[in-house]
Amino acid sequence: MPEQVAAGHQETPAQEVGDFLRRRREQIAQRWADAALFRTVFTVSREEAVEAGRAVVEALAAVAAAERVEEQEADGFSVVREQLARMAASRSRAGSTNSQISVEVDALRMPVVDLLIAELEGRPAEDVRDCTTALTVLMGTLRLVVLETLLSAGQELINRQHLQLLEVATPVIKLWEGIVAVPLIGTLDSARSQVVMETLLDSIVEQHARFAILDITGVPTVDSLVAQHLMKTVAAARLMGAECIVSGIRPAIAQTIVHLGIDLGTVKTQASLADALGYALRKQGAHIVPQDPHHAGSR
Amino acid sequence: MTGAFPSPYGGQLPVLRIGDVLLVTLQGDLHDGTAEQLQEDVSEAAADSRVKGVVIDLSGVEIVDSFLGRVLSDIAAKTRLLAAETVVAGMRPAVAITLVELGLTLPGLRTALSSDEAIRLLGEVSISPRHERTRQESP
């Protein structure tokens, strides 16, 4: 026993904290299960919360034993990173802000520190202070890891949604045999205009379309860059052998275009998507005749 | 089909005559020399056989440069002097985008989705220009 104590004194504070965490794993997990973070995430059973707490303590013990209490990238964390991310995501889905989650993680610190101080009773004050500091730093790192997973999850979400927006925002619709249309909705930037151009041209080849309609009814503003993109799309479609019609230019946009001095003279325009479809059908040789029962009867 | 002709890289591209239309099919990379040779061949053939149209099929071309763009509009201008119309057919989206980005919108050139359509277009132009006009007048 005296030998063990002597060996214990050889350890650095971080390693001692690691030993302590491993020894008191069960007790800490039980206490954490009552903390707000675990209680609200694992609502089904307390056992589950204890299990999760045990895994986190285990990871912290590994990090402390490796004396890397200040490093977020320590190997010990990688084991529980996914679990922490799940917990944090669950909290943020429930409506907690990042700082609220941060406070909840911080609340895990006090129970452990209390235990540690109780454990070290009778030891020199210097040792107690060193160990408490190491533990506090470790818990701070845990907090950072949780926040980091939160932020990266947010960033991933934004990236994914940006891609989705690009795909969703540009559906090419086949209106008739040989007629395709892109109804553009929302603000156009150059990245989107590029996607519109490519998808439209691809669908011209795919559908063997002689007419392509660009409907900009849903575009709130047009600046010179967007107008230039529209003209490029029209020119490229023409080179491929299709006629491109721009429809749905609203009065305000028409005014802007005139003000900017953009010459849309080479672009065929129609008032609405319906007019553009009618124009394309006429050019294809189709006639739209209103169904009139009287006429049909007299003929 | 092109087996009977010398290799395209030998400096000559086959210019086929179908009815009163000349058909030229471009494949893969085109050397500047070949393109220039093509220009001469087409205008000679157009002058000799008094065709009414020239169809240049670009569906096998994936990369263009400004030179080829200029050659195309030159061919169009020359054949127009010989009373023949040039139609560029089957241009790929990537090629079209490249030409537009280069600022070559080839304004004087007629285009079609495919060679088939181009030949039909040429037929429409000279046989029934009247039909098209009446169609437009009565919606």
Side-chain angles (χ1 to χ4, degrees), chain A residues 195-268:
Chain A
V195 174
V196 169
M197 186 175 189
E198 280 165 20
T199 46
L200 183 66
L201 296 187
D202 282 340
S203 71
I204 286 175
V205 174
E206 239 169 67
Q207 311 273 354
H208 213 79
R210 278 185 57 197
F211 294 92
I213 301 170
L214 267 175
D215 185 71
I216 59 168
T217 313
V219 179
T221 51
V222 166
D223 57 11
S224 53
L225 207 70
V226 172
Q228 207 184 348
H229 269 291
L230 286 179
M231 286 168 77
K232 272 185 191 169
T233 310
V234 172
R238 197 194 69 87
L239 280 178
M240 289 176 54
E243 186 173 350
C244 200
I245 305 152
V246 178
S247 72
I249 300 179
R250 283 183 290 152
I253 292 180
Q255 227 162 14
T256 320
I257 290 175
V258 174
H259 265 299
L260 289 173
I262 301 164
D263 181 21
L264 285 182
T266 54
V267 179
K268 178 83 200 163

Side-chain angles (χ1 to χ4, degrees), chain A residues 71-101:
Chain A
E71 296 172 42
Q72 293 176 52
E73 300 302 325
D75 296 334
F77 283 123
S78 58
V79 187
V80 282
R81 199 173 288 260
E82 200 180 320
Q83 186 196 331
L84 290 174
R86 242 193 346 265
M87 286 166 62
S90 142
R91 290 303 291 143
S92 82
R93 263 201 305 280
S96 299
T97 62
N98 287 0
S99 55
Q100 276 170 334
I101 295 171

